[in-house]
């Protein structure tokens, strides 16, 4: 949920003291926390959290999101769409060319649910496109604060996918608490986003001493790279091999590096 606060700018006048700035920031934080606590039980809920659509060229797909008013007052929900992450060949395609919502607002009574229909049209497009649907309400309890929740729609044009990704780099770093952070970057050279799963293994000689599942990473979008990290406990002095294997859409990328840990826990590779 994104909180948008309308601000008024006062021209001229004496600059506020550090104490006044602190108090204003503290007041905003308190209001923000109150909003979070309140909206744990009351607010606008939206299901599902995302939509993934795979259709052939010149296809049409109809579906909906369900929004529910959890406030104790009626609210007007403003509905808008924006471009999110498109593959290179679709970089200049407006979201309104393929993602269609027939209305731009809905009024919901307390406790009322409503289906927000949308249509996806692939036309002669290739690769993938994604758009973000945003639902914005004015807080019924806090004047000047808007609450926004956004959910994505991903469209992949079946038969035109180029699935290509690699683990670009792997790095290890000792943390202040003597644990080890493992950082790795995935480069997606294809034209569809990938949601990766896999595993991480550390071997000493022939023995596997650390093994971790890597599940449901955030998407790596077409023509972009994204970094991830895992943390493991400190390792004793020695020489090791780290292997990371990641899979998505029936393809797998794998990379290994050797590294050493000295008696102080410092890492070199």
């Amino acid at each position: 949920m994104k909180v948008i606060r309308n601000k008024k700018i006062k021209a001229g006048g004496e600059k506020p003291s550090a104490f006044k700035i602190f108090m204003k920031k503290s007041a905003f934080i308190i209001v923000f926390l109150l909003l979070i606590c309140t909206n744990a039980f009351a607010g606008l809920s939206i299901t599902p959290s995302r939509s993934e659509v795979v259709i052939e060229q010149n296809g049409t797909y109809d579906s909906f999101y369900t929004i529910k008013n959890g406030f104790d007052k009626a609210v007007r929900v403003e509905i808008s769409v924006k471009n999110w992450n498109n593959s290179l060949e679709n970089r200049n395609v407006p979201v309104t060319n393929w993602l269609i919502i027939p209305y731009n607002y809905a009024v919901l009574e307390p406790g009322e649910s409503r289906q927000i229909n949308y249509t996806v049209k692939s036309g002669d497009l290739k690769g993938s496109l994604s758009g973000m649907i945003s639902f914005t309400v004015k807080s019924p309890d806090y004047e000047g604060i808007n609450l926004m929740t956004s959910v994505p729609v991903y469209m992949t044009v079946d038969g035109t996918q180029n699935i290509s990704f690699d683990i670009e780099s792997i790095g290890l770093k000792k943390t202040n608490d003597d644990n080890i952070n493992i950082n790795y970057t995935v480069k997606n050279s294809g034209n569809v986003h990938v949601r990766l799963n896999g595993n991480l293994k550390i071997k000493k000689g022939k023995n596997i001493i650390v093994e971790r599942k890597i599940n449901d990473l955030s998407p790596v979008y077409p023509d972009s790279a994204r970094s991830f990290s895992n943390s493991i406990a400190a390792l004793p002095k020695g020489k090791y091999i780290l292997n990371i294997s990641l899979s998505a859409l029936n393809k797998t990328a794998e990379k290994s590096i050797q590294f050493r840990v000295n008696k102080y826990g410092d890492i070199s590779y």
Side-chain angles (χ1 to χ4, degrees):
M1 177 182 69
K2 183 177 181 181
V3 177
I4 303 172
R5 186 177 180 87
N6 298 327
K7 296 182 179 179
K8 294 182 179 179
I9 300 174
K10 188 176 181 181
E14 184 180 343
K15 290 185 179 179
S17 67
F19 177 74
K20 287 182 179 180
I21 293 173
F22 171 78
M23 291 302 295
K24 285 182 179 180
K25 288 183 177 179
S26 298
F28 174 74
I29 291 170
I30 291 170
V31 171
F32 181 71
L33 291 174
L34 283 170
L35 281 169
I36 292 176
C37 294
T38 301
N39 282 281
F41 304 97
L44 191 69
S45 62
I46 302 167
T47 53
S49 60
R50 68 173 187 259
S51 295
E52 305 245 10
V53 181
V54 181
I55 57 175
E56 296 180 347
Q57 283 186 319
N58 300 305
T60 299
Y61 174 83
D62 295 308
S63 191
F64 59 87
Y65 278 97
T66 299
I67 60 175
K68 182 177 181 180
N69 179 12
F71 293 106
D72 58 3
K73 300 174 184 175
V75 294
R76 176 185 169 109
V77 183
E78 303 292 337
I79 305 167
S80 60
V81 296
K82 66 177 181 180
N83 289 318
W84 192 234
N85 284 280
N86 293 352
S87 56
L88 186 61
E89 63 265 58
N90 300 313
R91 188 145 295 173
N92 297 319
V93 177
V95 65
T96 50
N97 279 22
W98 63 273
L99 177 57
I100 301 159
I101 299 180
Y103 24 67
N104 53 24
Y105 75 92
V107 177
L108 276 68
E109 297 298 323
E112 183 181 2
S113 295
R114 184 81 56 83
Q115 288 186 2
I116 304 301
N117 299 313
Y118 67 85
T119 298
V120 167
K121 294 185 176 182
S122 59
D124 59 357
L125 298 170
K126 299 178 181 179
S128 62
L129 305 94
S130 59
M132 196 67 71
I133 305 176
S134 295
F135 302 90
T136 305
V137 296
K138 292 182 178 179
S139 171
D141 303 310
Y142 299 94
E143 185 178 355
I145 291 180
N146 293 340
L147 305 176
M148 176 189 290
T149 302
S150 299
V151 288
V153 176
Y154 298 95
M155 180 179 73
T156 298
V157 184
D158 199 18
T160 70
Q161 302 99 318
N162 172 26
I163 303 165
S164 177
F165 59 89
D166 293 289
I167 302 172
E168 268 194 328
S169 61
I170 300 177
L172 301 95
K173 186 177 181 180
K174 178 185 173 182
T175 64
N176 292 334
D177 55 4
D178 292 330
N179 289 331
I180 297 174
N181 270 348
I182 299 172
N183 303 297
Y184 48 100
T185 299
V186 178
K187 170 66 176 178
N188 182 359
S189 303
N191 65 2
V192 296
H193 68 279
V194 292
R195 295 182 182 274
L196 299 159
N197 294 274
N199 58 71
L200 174 157
K201 293 180 183 178
I202 295 178
K203 295 176 68 175
K204 187 174 185 181
K206 295 183 178 180
N207 299 321
I208 297 174
I209 61 171
V210 176
E211 186 167 11
R212 293 278 181 85
K213 290 289 186 184
I214 300 173
N215 293 321
D216 299 324
L217 294 175
S218 299
V220 185
Y221 294 106
D223 309 299
S224 67
R226 192 164 199 163
S227 297
F228 305 96
S229 65
N230 291 83
S231 181
I232 63 171
L235 297 171
K237 179 182 176 181
K239 182 179 179 180
Y240 302 89
I241 295 176
L242 166 63
N243 174 269
I244 296 178
S245 176
L246 299 171
S247 298
L249 303 173
N250 298 317
K251 296 216 172 183
T252 299
E254 190 170 357
K255 191 176 184 69
S256 297
I257 64 167
Q258 294 185 0
F259 67 97
R260 292 179 181 271
V261 179
N262 67 17
K263 63 180 180 180
Y264 305 108
D266 296 321
I267 300 166
S268 60
Y269 49 90

